[in-house]
Amino acid sequence: MGSTRVVRFSVEPFDIPLPRPFGTAQARRTEAHNLLLTLELAGGATGLAEVAPAPYVTGETQEGARRVLEAFAADLQGADVAGYRAISAAFHRAYPEAHAARAGLEALLLDAYCRHLGAPLYQFFGGMASEVVTDVTVPIVPPDEAADVARSAFDAGFTDLKVKIGLGGQDFERVLAVARAAPGAQIRLDGNQGFRPEEAVALLDRLLAAGVPVSLFEQPVHRDDLDGMRFVRERVSVPVAADESVITPADAWRVIEAGAADVVNIKLMKAGVLGALDIAAICRAAGCDLMIGCMLESRLGISVAAHLAAGVGGFSFIDLDGHLLTGDTRMVGGFVQQGGRLVLQPDQPGHGTALATTRG
């Protein structure tokens, strides 16, 4: 179809100063160095997407992602987005380690294609639901600050709180402060690879003995230590999730074969959109629960992930709060937020997000 062929493609920096530093066991960020991708089709439909590289996860940087996407521009010119899988495969062959860049490219192609079709992305993905319920993240900060973040989130309607841990010191005190500040909230722990297996088990035992309602323990040990992940899983009573251990569908299969996790956390910036669909299929076939997460993304990137999670369905844990952590206001649409609910709009084709200056 001539109307779905690419006539214009652009890549530009999309830097987001964070309203407050965001600390994990692996990094402390004060700014997100992302990319903004735009696309126009011959028939007039446009696409918009975000790339959010995380060097400490996939090894990508903003400049590196920009370089490979600009190098691929000549291949993209004139390509038919209806063949989005073939385009993605060509990009992957050329740049197999450009995970976040490929995620942005796939989101861009699908957004433009669905806008051409007049269909919301969540319907394109299967239409299982039109909303998801996310948690909100408490970063590594002193316990009193963590309590303030938790209290504000709980008062705003969030019933699931994800607490970053893994630097030692005040981990126990931080989680306990969050639980006390938000009585009734479910607590999810995210170690970001920060523990030895025995340390992870000991901390969780101590928290449970203190009455903290822990519902998930995410990536307690190093990504490559699948034996350590299994050690934790076999000794605790809450589900263990693999995040950094799973970037590709092959990684998901290895984790499941090793008995290393009850849950796999899919992030588009690790797996790409199409890889995320493959991982979800592998996990379902193996009886492994699904989680979807994000990097430091604006409403644009979060919208794509929300559409995928709602459309595919079956995600037991949703962690799509990047737009709250970045605080960026340059994007509008995509979803309506009601507490922890992200409600998608059936009358908005594609992911429904636009630059605030162009909506109207």
Side-chain angles (χ1 to χ4, degrees), residues 189-205:
L189 306 178
D190 188 359
N192 286 121
Q193 312 180 70
F195 296 95
R196 293 192 297 270
E198 298 84 357
E199 293 173 336
V201 173
L203 175 63
L204 182 56
D205 285 348

Side-chain angles (χ1 to χ4, degrees), residues 172-244:
F172 175 80
E173 291 78 10
R174 181 182 312 107
V175 177
L176 193 60
V178 166
R180 289 174 174 171
Q186 290 295 301
I187 306 299
R188 302 171 182 177
L189 306 178
D190 188 359
N192 286 121
Q193 312 180 70
F195 296 95
R196 293 192 297 270
E198 298 84 357
E199 293 173 336
V201 173
L203 175 63
L204 182 56
D205 285 348
R206 189 180 175 194
L207 288 168
L208 293 176
V212 176
V214 178
S215 60
L216 186 72
F217 198 164
E218 186 181 348
Q219 199 66 49
V221 304
H222 191 273
R223 64 197 300 171
D224 297 328
D225 187 6
L226 298 189
D227 289 340
M229 290 283 287
R230 185 176 64 250
F231 178 96
V232 176
R233 181 176 177 240
E234 290 174 346
R235 288 163 176 81
V236 300
S237 58
V238 304
V240 172
D243 177 5
E244 289 93 339

Side-chain angles (χ1 to χ4, degrees), residues 19-51:
R20 63 184 61 85
F22 184 74
T24 75
Q26 295 300 315
R28 185 178 185 272
R29 306 280 297 276
T30 59
E31 187 172 15
H33 297 290
N34 298 349
L35 294 172
L36 184 65
L37 313 183
T38 58
L39 188 77
E40 184 179 347
L41 305 183
T46 59
L48 189 67
E50 184 175 9
V51 177

